[in-house]
Amino acid sequence: MLLKKLQLKTVDYKLVLTMCFLLFFNSIISAQEIIKDTVVKKPVQIPSGQKLKVDGIIANVGDYIVLDSDIDKGYLEITAQGGSVKDITRCQMLGKLLEDKLYAHQAIQDSIIVSDAEVRSMMDDRLNYMVQQVGDINKVVAYYKKNSVEEFKTYFSDILKEQKLAQEMTKKIVDAVEITPEEVRNFFKKIPKEELPTFGAEMEVAQIVVEPKVSAEDKQKVKDRLNAIRKDVLEGSSFATKAVLYSQDPGSAPNGGYYKMTRKTPFVKEFKDVAFSLAEGEISEPFETSFGFHIIMVEKIKGQEVELRHILIAPTVSEDALKEAKERIANIRAKIVSKEISFADAARTESDEKETRANGGTLVNPNTQDTRFELTKMDPTLYSQVSNLKDDEVSQPLLNTDDKGKKTYKLITVTNRIDEHVADYAKDYTKIKELALKEKQITTISKWFDTKIKDTYIKIIGEYRDCNFVYNWLKK
């Protein structure tokens, strides 16, 4: 039965609450806020037969508190996201809240640090997303019943910090869990034959990518344009305005090219190297990354954090360059089809894609980190490109445009097909290992809770003491 729980059919509600509620719930639960006792006047959508409570503190976990209204906010948020709350009890909601509070409390005890810079970065990302959804930050403020943007930001920063602490604590626990081949074997052996999972049809795919060559002349045109913009800014023009008008970075152009970053921010190395080499107010010379050419202006340096603005302009790929790339990849295809060279060898010697070139063009599934793609979960674009290919057939040259507008040509082939089948230890070791690891992680987390609950000040008030929790929050 355990495997089925891990698969999909009858998942233990503890796992559901731990893994799923986080998506809806953590972003709205108050970390430290104490609200004076008031009667909730406007009912939220909660399970039938349950009544709203007079607000107040209902639980303590270390230095953290839980309010009765936090549970109602949880129902409201899930409903707003289109989810169903009819099978979620207030006790289950409270249990999930207590878990999050204990994670955050223990993170502090373990000296896990969440910097103000990280919180501000999370705040910027969340606010940008919220504003995109509703169109006006004042609507976001009203939704959370705050009186001003600043009051909302103060409130929300506490939430985000607690959420980040909980995430880091969870990661610390889970990352420490390792599993041996012997444990994987024993996990598989204990699954009754009639309960072995069925894995859907899969395929392995390889590709060869050819990038159109950008001429030195076209690169120089971009550098000249950026130098002209730089000169204008040095003479008094607004960098932010120039970024809005000319930058091709969709993530920052609407905000005047603004980014806030630390050394840990996942930007390409060349960008970070330049950003952290500049003084406040300094503007870089044009420099190149895989995205194009940039100039950066540093606005503020706060310890390890840099606030900057940048402008990105990518060289235009000429029609001649595209034509040349298409001819090149067509010639590669002709050699493969005529058996002059294998697809794998052609990928190693001809492909411009560094990530796949060394392993013969084989794609790695970003969700599972192995080479198999389950058809029902495959990216729709990739599926449309490979679904009609026969065994060993090589696609015609495909023009591909990524989300940044970069154009390439590629060839695709299916290197292996795996029909739907009952789990086989040898064939499906990677998937079985993943299931075994999940089981061990769940067991480890459960043991962690049992231990930490005993060592932490926890108090549950009123009728919630009658809840039948998964963990021993009442220390009975």
Side-chain angles (χ1 to χ4, degrees), residues 150-163:
E150 285 308 312
E151 182 184 351
F152 169 74
K153 285 186 175 181
T154 300
Y155 159 80
F156 205 48
S157 66
D158 287 341
I159 296 171
L160 293 175
K161 186 166 186 176
E162 181 187 328
Q163 180 181 349

Side-chain angles (χ1 to χ4, degrees), residues 39-51:
V39 177
V40 180
K41 295 180 180 179
K42 185 177 180 181
V44 296
Q45 186 173 348
I46 62 175
S48 59
Q50 297 186 17
K51 298 179 180 179

Side-chain angles (χ1 to χ4, degrees), residues 230-249:
R230 181 176 185 271
K231 182 174 181 291
D232 287 345
V233 174
L234 290 172
E235 292 175 353
S237 296
S238 166
F239 193 104
T241 300
K242 296 286 188 181
V244 171
L245 292 173
Y246 303 117
S247 181
Q248 296 172 357
D249 177 14

Side-chain angles (χ1 to χ4, degrees), residues 69-217:
S69 61
D70 291 338
I71 295 177
D72 295 326
K73 289 176 185 177
Y75 285 122
L76 180 63
E77 182 72 3
I78 293 174
T79 301
Q81 296 284 345
S84 172
V85 298
K86 66 184 181 67
D87 295 324
I88 303 173
T89 68
R90 294 183 75 85
C91 287
Q92 289 173 338
M93 280 283 197
L94 177 57
K96 178 61 179 71
L97 269 176
L98 295 173
E99 291 176 23
D100 290 341
K101 305 299 183 187
L102 185 57
Y103 278 133
H105 170 78
Q106 192 59 45
I108 293 173
Q109 307 308 305
D110 288 4
S111 299
I112 293 175
I113 297 174
V114 174
S115 68
D116 291 342
E118 289 179 282
V119 174
R120 285 194 294 269
S121 178
M122 292 169 65
M123 174 78 75
D124 291 341
D125 291 342
R126 297 289 183 88
L127 282 181
N128 287 338
Y129 175 78
M130 290 177 182
V131 171
Q132 285 175 6
Q133 298 302 306
V134 301
D136 183 356
I137 192 170
N138 291 315
K139 292 181 180 179
V140 177
V141 173
Y143 177 82
Y144 286 94
K145 297 182 174 64
K146 299 302 173 185
N147 296 319
S148 67
V149 173
E150 285 308 312
E151 182 184 351
F152 169 74
K153 285 186 175 181
T154 300
Y155 159 80
F156 205 48
S157 66
D158 287 341
I159 296 171
L160 293 175
K161 186 166 186 176
E162 181 187 328
Q163 180 181 349
K164 185 65 174 176
L165 284 168
Q167 290 173 347
E168 292 299 318
M169 189 69 246
T170 308
K171 185 175 184 296
K172 180 178 178 180
I173 299 167
V174 170
D175 286 354
V177 180
E178 297 180 346
I179 195 161
T180 66
E182 184 63 25
E183 288 175 310
V184 177
R185 187 178 299 108
N186 291 336
F187 170 83
F188 186 75
K189 284 181 178 179
K190 72 181 181 183
I191 304 172
K193 187 174 182 180
E194 64 275 11
E195 293 182 10
L196 287 171
T198 298
F199 294 130
E202 298 172 306
M203 62 173 58
E204 293 179 315
V205 180
Q207 68 181 23
I208 296 171
V209 177
V210 169
E211 297 180 1
K213 303 302 181 184
V214 178
S215 68
E217 181 183 355

